Amino acid sequence: DVDFTDSLKEQQKNWIGKSQGASVAFELESGTDKIEVFTTRPDTIYGVTFMVLAPEHPLVDQITTTEFKDAIAAYKQKASLKTERDRQANVKDITGQNTGAFAIHPFTGEKVQIWIGEYVLASYGTGAVMAVPCGDQRDWDFAKHFDINIPNIFKDKDISYEAFADKENFELQNSSFIDGLSFDDATDSIISRLEKDRIGIKEINYRLRDAVFSRQRYWYQCQR
């Protein structure tokens, strides 16, 4: 009954963020470990050309090659001076650092570059993302900035100027056994294969969002 705006009430209802997707394991090229990622778009897995870890990810120092040790240390120090809110808000400030390491794509067997980037947070998911530049704008911007390949897995969609992030009205291409499928069908097929091959599972992630209302304001309104 408190006279808050409808938009604020909706934010309160969705204070706990719920994301449905899949957990996927990418083996390191060295064979010494795996990087677990949580993705809400397992249907786009064939569009992965690189991975981005949070600077705080526990594997960063272990996988970084000698060539990039100093650059990685400097980047981690710089990122540590920013809050998570700042790191998420600065969408136009594209930063990152190559670790020199590679992971292996679970379906194609191709090598996938591993970077660190401050836009990935250690507190969300596993602190690692599989980057699909053709289907995610931040990944697209990152790939363009660092000259990373952007293959197109969306049939008849132009990704020359921006990523195609819509979950509807598309068919997949260059995606092996899920070619021609829509979002729902491709997602189900990929998750089934992940679980069959024991390299991933269906998963739901929850995240507590920042507080968006004032308790003091609430009691003030009630007393009126």
Side-chain angles (χ1 to χ4, degrees):
D1 296 327
V2 178
D3 189 23
F4 285 143
T5 63
D6 289 339
S7 62
L8 185 55
K9 289 179 181 179
E10 191 65 24
Q11 289 182 60
Q12 292 175 17
K13 292 176 184 177
N14 296 301
W15 190 23
I16 298 177
K18 178 181 179 181
S19 301
Q20 301 186 59
S23 175
V24 186
F26 285 73
E27 289 192 8
L28 294 176
E29 181 187 25
S30 63
T32 57
D33 216 323
K34 297 178 180 179
I35 295 176
E36 298 282 344
V37 303
F38 171 77
T39 176
T40 59
R41 294 296 305 273
D43 60 304
T44 64
I45 196 167
Y46 280 93
V48 175
T49 53
F50 62 102
M51 303 183 72
V52 185
L53 310 184
E56 306 85 0
H57 194 284
L59 285 179
V60 171
D61 291 337
Q62 175 185 324
I63 66 175
T64 299
T65 61
T66 302
E67 177 185 1
F68 294 105
K69 288 286 186 184
D70 291 343
I72 286 290
Y75 187 88
K76 289 174 64 178
Q77 173 61 24
K78 183 179 178 181
S80 71
L81 302 177
K82 300 180 181 180
T83 66
E84 286 192 353
R85 186 188 292 261
D86 289 338
R87 286 164 55 174
Q88 287 287 284
N90 296 331
V91 294
K92 294 183 179 180
D93 185 16
I94 303 170
T95 69
Q97 176 57 52
N98 194 349
T99 67
F102 292 90
I104 303 300
H105 194 289
F107 290 119
T108 68
E110 296 180 356
K111 295 199 299 184
V112 176
Q113 298 179 30
I114 304 175
W115 291 66
I116 63 172
E118 60 183 20
Y119 76 92
V120 180
L121 304 179
S123 62
Y124 180 71
T126 63
V129 300
M130 60 175 216
V132 183
C134 68
D136 181 275
Q137 192 58 44
R138 275 202 162 182
D139 294 344
W140 189 95
D141 293 337
F142 193 96
K144 281 290 184 180
H145 186 79
F146 292 108
D147 196 25
I148 302 173
N149 184 36
I150 305 179
N152 191 0
I153 59 171
F154 301 111
K155 185 177 181 181
D156 299 327
K157 301 299 181 182
D158 184 10
I159 59 166
S160 301
Y161 303 101
E162 62 181 357
F164 178 78
D166 195 349
K167 290 184 179 181
E168 299 180 358
N169 303 317
F170 72 85
E171 288 186 7
L172 289 166
Q173 65 179 6
N174 303 320
S175 297
S176 187
F177 64 96
I178 56 173
D179 274 353
L181 298 184
S182 61
F183 169 74
D184 289 334
D185 291 340
T187 297
D188 290 342
S189 295
I190 283 291
I191 291 176
S192 294
R193 180 67 66 87
L194 288 171
E195 293 180 338
K196 178 182 178 182
D197 295 345
R198 297 185 178 181
I199 53 177
I201 57 172
K202 185 176 183 179
E203 191 170 286
I204 298 176
N205 262 5
Y206 296 92
R207 186 185 185 204
L208 194 63
R209 303 182 190 279
D210 290 337
V212 293
F213 60 94
S214 166
R215 181 166 52 188
Q216 287 77 14
R217 180 184 173 190
Y218 173 84
W219 287 116
Y220 173 72
Q221 292 275 12
C222 287
Q223 291 166 4
R224 290 177 65 189

